[in-house]
């Protein structure tokens, strides 16, 4: 059975938020929109986003790494949000494994969001229904688009080419190859949800910096070097 | 978790309704075996009517939790998989059955049909209560709730509310059995106190997941959240983390304990020991339980920590633990010469 999913390369994701922005733009104008915004030009803008980019720092100063984690619905193969829905508004499509919400049946009880360990569902206060990433199902099956355009908006817009889309059960797909070749992993494996979206771990990189490349006039850099030598 | 007032309202109204009907019908049921004198008609009718009004008010109140109230009937569709769907079906059926029971008693039809409907109403009420409790207990992503204690405690609170409400209404009939009801209320409240204590103690020993686990990273790498993608709150941070509530918990939990358990236990003990049948004390016991339960349910929601808070750095931390089986994060090395 097919299972469409996103594969995100954490090596190349630079956290530019282009995927989130384009997702918001496409899904506001397309079949599953609009995604409401509240106080968009005020002090506390708030709204519905299918895709959010989180930034984490790992390690201890000065040996830290910053990485960005784009997180949208993971289209779990054992989606816990589906069986708890009292109306059947949340459902998983058999033909491609995409988890969708039927807005006409959603009563807005929010129980599906309580049952998602990833926080990937958002309640639209304007429409009073639960919304989530659709993997741009209205793009990927749109035959009026050229074949190379039949991908989710986030994949098409990523300037770093950090996102891949495809059937992770099909050995001929790019997504499948990426997961197998680069050891793709999933979030929260212990939760038993079997997420379809995968992440590609960062690979080991050794950078040698010659002395003459160090900027002696950069006080912050010198501080790092000083601490490194002192062993702090 | 953000406490939804509509669901707390449903707990109080449905709890009192099902509990009150349980004790009212139980007295009627005992007459079948000659163990009791029947309650006066006006007592049964008043008690059943109150139960019906309460479950009706509960249903109306709970609908405020829904985004689309007019579509609420659709909740019956997924009875086979959803506890919320089961709750809707059983609670609705309980209300209907209760209406028939009330009509039968009002028109003095007290034979086989009366008791059959009474038993059915009793079963539907408790199936509804169990389904409500399971909505919380089956959520394995809120570890504080994901325990059989949640169900036991939830059902016991229905009995606490019901027995104390019944006790408060004993002035409607000859209080020959009032001592038994004082004892039962005392028993359920004491049991509730133990369940609540166990619930709180369990929280201290919970093995919570860490951010490393959420991100599938080794446990010996300290990780912290730098940015969560938006500069303000969003649905997830508002719904699953209630900052003001967390700050108030040290105040609300002790008050909830005092009003739900301490005050009723002392009042019941006083009545029991003194042997004085004082209805005002029963009324105060019920009122204290009702207000205490409101605070207790509020605290129950706020105490719940959803695991998705990990991604926002809002989950209680337990430190970093080294466990095997997680994907190794390959370190980027930068050397200076």
């Amino acid at each position: 059975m097919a299972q469409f999913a996103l594969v995100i390369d954490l090596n190349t994701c630079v956290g530019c938020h282009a995927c989130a922005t384009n997702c918001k733009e496409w899904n506001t104008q397309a079949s599953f929109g609009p995604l409401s915004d509240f106080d968009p030009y005020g002090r506390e803008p708030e709204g519905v986003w299918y895709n959010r980019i989180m930034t984490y720092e790992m390690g201890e100063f000065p040996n830290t790494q910053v990485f960005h984690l784009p997180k949208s619905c993971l289209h779990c193969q054992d989606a816990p949000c589906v069986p708890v829905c009292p109306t059947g508004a949340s459902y998983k499509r058999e033909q491609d494994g995409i988890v969708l919400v039927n807005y006409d049946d959603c009563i807005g009880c929010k129980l599906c969001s309580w049952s998602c360990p990833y926080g990937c569902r958002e309640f639209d206060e304007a429409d009073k229904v639960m919304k989530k990433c659709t993997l741009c199902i209205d793009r990927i099956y749109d035959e009026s688009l050229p074949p190379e355009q039949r991908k989710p908006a986030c994949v098409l817009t990523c300037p770093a080419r950090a996102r891949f889309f495809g059937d992770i059960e099909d050995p001929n797909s790019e997504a499948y190859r990426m997961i197998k070749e680069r050891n793709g992993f999933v979030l929260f494996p212990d939760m038993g949800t079997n997420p379809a979206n995968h992440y590609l771990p960062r690979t080991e990189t050794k950078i040698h910096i010659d002395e003459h490349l160090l900027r002696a006039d950069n006080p912050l850099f010198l501080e790092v070097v000083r601490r490194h030598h002192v062993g702090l | 978790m953000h406490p939804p007032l509509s669901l707390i309202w449903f707990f109080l109204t449905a709890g009192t309704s099902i509990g009150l009907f349980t004790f009212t019908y139980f007295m009627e049921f005992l007459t079948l075996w000659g163990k009791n004198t029947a309650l006066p008609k006006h007592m049964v009718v008043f008690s059943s009517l109150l139960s019906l009004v309460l479950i009706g008010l509960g249903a109306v109140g709970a609908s405020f939790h829904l985004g689309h109230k007019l579509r609420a009937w659709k909740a019956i569709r997924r009875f086979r998989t959803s506890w919320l769907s089961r709750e809707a079906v059983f609670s609705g059926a309980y209300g209907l059955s209760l209406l028939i029971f009330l009509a039968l008693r009002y028109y003095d039809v007290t034979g086989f049909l009366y008791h059959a409907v009474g038993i059915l109403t009793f079963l539907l009420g408790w199936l509804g209560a169990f389904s409500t409790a399971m909505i919380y207990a089956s959520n394995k992503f809120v570890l504080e709730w994901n325990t059989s204690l949640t169900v036991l405690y939830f059902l016991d609170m229905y009995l606490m509310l019901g027995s104390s409400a019944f006790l408060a209404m004993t002035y409607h009939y000859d209080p020959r059995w009032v001592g038994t009801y004082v004892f039962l209320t005392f028993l359920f409240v004491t049991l509730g106190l133990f369940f609540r204590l166990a619930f709180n103690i369990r929280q201290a020993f919970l093995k919570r997941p860490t951010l490393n686990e959420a991100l599938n990273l080794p446990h010996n790498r300290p990780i912290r959240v730098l940015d969560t993608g938006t500069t303000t709150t969003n649905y997830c941070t508002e719904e699953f983390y209630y900052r003001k509530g967390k700050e108030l918990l040290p105040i609300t939990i002790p008050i909830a304990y005092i009003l739900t358990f301490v005050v009723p236990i002392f009042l019941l003990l006083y009545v029991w020991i003194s042997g004085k049948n004082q209805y005002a004390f029963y009324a105060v016991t019920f009122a204290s339980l009702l207000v205490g339960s409101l605070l207790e349910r509020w605290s129950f929601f706020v105490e719940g920590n959803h695991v998705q808070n990990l991604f926002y750095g809002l989950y209680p931390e337990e430190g970093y633990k080294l466990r095997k089986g997680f994907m190794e994060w390959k370190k980027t090395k930068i050397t200076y010469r």
Side-chain angles (χ1 to χ4, degrees):
Chain A
M1 196 186 294
Q3 174 62 63
F4 285 7
L6 293 172
V7 177
I8 298 161
D9 187 352
L10 297 183
N11 273 299
T12 43
C13 176
V14 292
C16 66
H17 291 243
C19 53
T21 311
N22 203 25
C23 165
K24 177 91 171 173
E25 185 188 1
W26 173 256
N27 285 298
T28 290
Q29 66 182 320
S31 310
F32 288 84
L35 306 185
S36 307
D37 278 322
F38 303 98
D39 197 19
Y41 304 106
R43 290 173 67 90
E44 294 193 346
E46 198 182 327
V48 181
W49 294 73
Y50 286 170
N51 188 14
R52 290 182 189 270
I53 321 305
M54 306 198 165
T55 305
Y56 298 99
E57 184 186 58
M58 188 175 72
E60 283 172 6
F61 182 83
N63 298 313
T64 55
Q65 295 179 47
V66 171
F67 65 95
H68 310 282
L69 185 93
K71 185 161 65 68
S72 54
C73 172
L74 306 172
H75 298 277
C76 304
Q77 301 193 50
D78 300 312
C81 53
V82 172
V84 299
C85 176
T87 64
S90 276
Y91 64 102
K92 189 169 176 69
R93 285 161 53 97
E94 274 189 27
Q95 59 269 47
D96 49 27
I98 298 176
V99 178
L100 290 179
V101 180
N102 180 349
Y103 296 161
D104 291 335
D105 280 347
C106 179
I107 56 174
C109 67
K110 302 177 183 171
L111 192 57
C112 54
S113 69
W114 288 20
S115 303
C116 173
Y118 307 103
C120 291
R121 285 179 168 251
E122 301 214 7
F123 188 72
D124 191 330
E125 284 293 345
D127 290 344
K128 300 288 182 193
V129 292
M130 195 58 74
K131 294 185 175 178
K132 61 178 280 301
C133 161
T134 63
L135 270 183
C136 286
I137 195 166
D138 48 350
R139 283 192 71 89
I140 62 179
Y141 288 113
D142 187 350
E143 291 185 358
S144 66
L145 291 172
E148 67 276 11
Q149 290 283 312
R150 293 178 203 164
K151 290 179 179 175
C154 57
V155 175
L156 290 170
T157 199
C158 180
R161 199 169 148 68
R163 303 174 76 97
F164 305 92
F165 167 73
D167 180 1
I168 60 165
E169 299 290 333
D170 176 12
N172 296 318
S173 78
E174 189 181 24
Y176 179 92
R177 268 201 331 273
M178 285 286 179
I179 294 168
K180 294 292 174 194
E181 289 170 8
R182 296 183 51 191
N183 222 4
F185 70 96
V186 294
L187 298 182
F188 247 147
D190 285 358
M191 290 293 147
T193 55
N194 204 1
N197 282 12
H198 280 67
Y199 293 87
L200 303 179
R202 290 158 67 142
T203 50
E204 189 171 348
T205 312
K206 286 185 180 174
I207 304 172
H208 168 72
I209 302 175
D210 286 328
E211 193 77 44
H212 68 276
L213 290 176
L214 291 173
R215 287 182 56 198
D217 57 341
N218 183 344
L220 288 177
F221 204 94
L222 281 178
E223 176 63 14
V224 172
V225 173
R226 187 187 67 77
R227 284 172 183 244
H228 181 73
H229 285 304
V230 175
L232 288 173
Chain B
M1 301 286 285
H2 201 287
L5 290 179
S6 49
L7 298 187
I8 296 174
W9 169 256
F10 180 75
F11 168 82
L12 295 174
T13 50
T16 311
S17 168
I18 293 168
L20 183 60
F21 176 78
T22 299
F23 288 96
T24 307
Y25 181 68
F26 187 61
M27 291 288 275
E28 295 283 89
F29 185 72
L30 285 180
T31 58
L32 279 176
W33 316 99
K35 302 283 184 191
N36 186 30
T37 48
L39 288 173
K41 179 183 172 182
H42 71 272
M43 166 73 180
V44 180
V45 169
F46 179 73
S47 179
S48 305
L49 185 64
L50 188 61
S51 296
L52 188 64
V53 169
L54 283 171
I55 195 70
L57 287 174
V60 172
S63 73
F64 284 93
H65 183 64
L66 303 180
H68 288 277
K69 296 168 191 60
L70 294 178
R71 295 179 192 164
W73 67 270
K74 292 186 178 183
I76 61 173
R77 284 180 178 173
R78 284 291 178 97
F79 185 82
R80 290 172 67 181
T81 60
S82 170
W83 284 109
L84 182 55
S85 184
R86 290 169 195 162
E87 181 204 33
V89 170
F90 287 132
S91 300
Y94 162 74
L96 191 65
S97 186
L98 187 56
L99 179 66
I100 297 168
F101 177 84
L102 177 63
L104 290 174
R105 187 69 190 93
Y106 187 77
Y107 291 109
D108 292 323
V109 184
T110 53
F112 170 78
L113 186 63
Y114 174 69
H115 286 288
V117 173
I119 292 168
L120 181 69
T121 312
F122 168 82
L123 287 175
L124 289 170
W126 285 101
L127 283 170
F130 182 73
S131 304
T132 312
M134 281 304 289
I135 292 171
Y136 305 106
S138 65
N139 191 331
K140 62 179 179 178
F141 307 122
V142 183
L143 297 180
E144 289 79 3
W145 300 353
N146 187 220
T147 163
S148 48
L149 260 180
T150 302
V151 179
L152 291 171
Y153 180 47
F154 196 93
L155 299 183
D156 184 66
M157 286 194 84
Y158 273 28
L159 290 171
M160 282 160 61
L161 286 168
S163 59
S164 58
F166 188 81
L167 198 58
M169 286 168 53
T170 48
Y171 66 86
H172 273 299
Y173 79 111
D174 176 20
R176 194 162 65 92
W177 285 73
V178 78
T180 310
Y181 278 95
V182 170
F183 170 73
L184 282 176
T185 311
F186 178 78
L187 180 74
F188 294 134
V189 175
T190 314
L191 209 56
L193 175 62
F194 283 116
F195 282 140
R196 194 35 155 122
L197 278 171
F199 182 77
N200 277 119
I201 292 167
R202 180 181 170 274
Q203 285 183 43
F205 295 97
L206 274 178
K207 199 161 186 62
R208 299 177 189 281
T210 60
L211 179 56
N212 296 55
E213 221 165 284
L215 298 175
N216 203 346
L217 297 173
H219 280 256
N220 57 345
R221 310 278 173 86
I223 293 183
R224 68 187 180 99
V225 181
L226 286 187
D227 183 61
T228 54
T230 48
T231 50
T232 62
T233 56
N234 60 50
Y235 166 72
C236 291
T237 56
E238 287 286 298
E239 178 75 5
F240 301 107
Y241 188 80
Y242 184 40
R243 193 179 298 276
K244 281 181 190 169
K246 295 274 184 204
E247 288 164 4
L248 285 172
L249 267 186
I251 302 168
T252 52
I253 288 183
I255 298 174
Y257 263 96
I258 290 168
L259 291 178
T260 318
F261 307 110
V262 180
V263 173
I265 284 175
F266 272 98
L267 286 173
L268 292 169
L269 272 178
Y270 174 77
V271 171
W272 204 5
I273 293 166
S274 68
K276 291 175 185 171
N277 186 32
Q278 291 170 311
Y279 297 114
F281 275 32
Y282 302 149
V284 173
T285 302
F286 175 66
S288 178
L289 252 171
L290 199 66
V291 178
S293 301
L294 189 149
L295 279 175
E296 192 283 330
R297 279 295 101 179
W298 187 91
S299 308
F300 170 82
F301 278 104
V302 179
E303 282 172 286
N305 294 293
H306 199 287
V307 294
Q308 70 105 14
N309 285 334
L310 280 164
F311 294 105
Y312 291 93
L314 298 171
Y315 198 72
E317 286 189 26
E318 205 188 35
Y320 301 104
K321 288 176 182 168
L322 185 61
R323 283 190 212 164
K324 289 179 181 174
F326 291 93
M327 184 163 292
E328 186 67 17
W329 181 277
K330 290 175 183 169
K331 194 176 177 183
T332 300
K333 289 180 183 170
I334 301 178
T335 54
Y336 311 101
R337 256 196 334 178

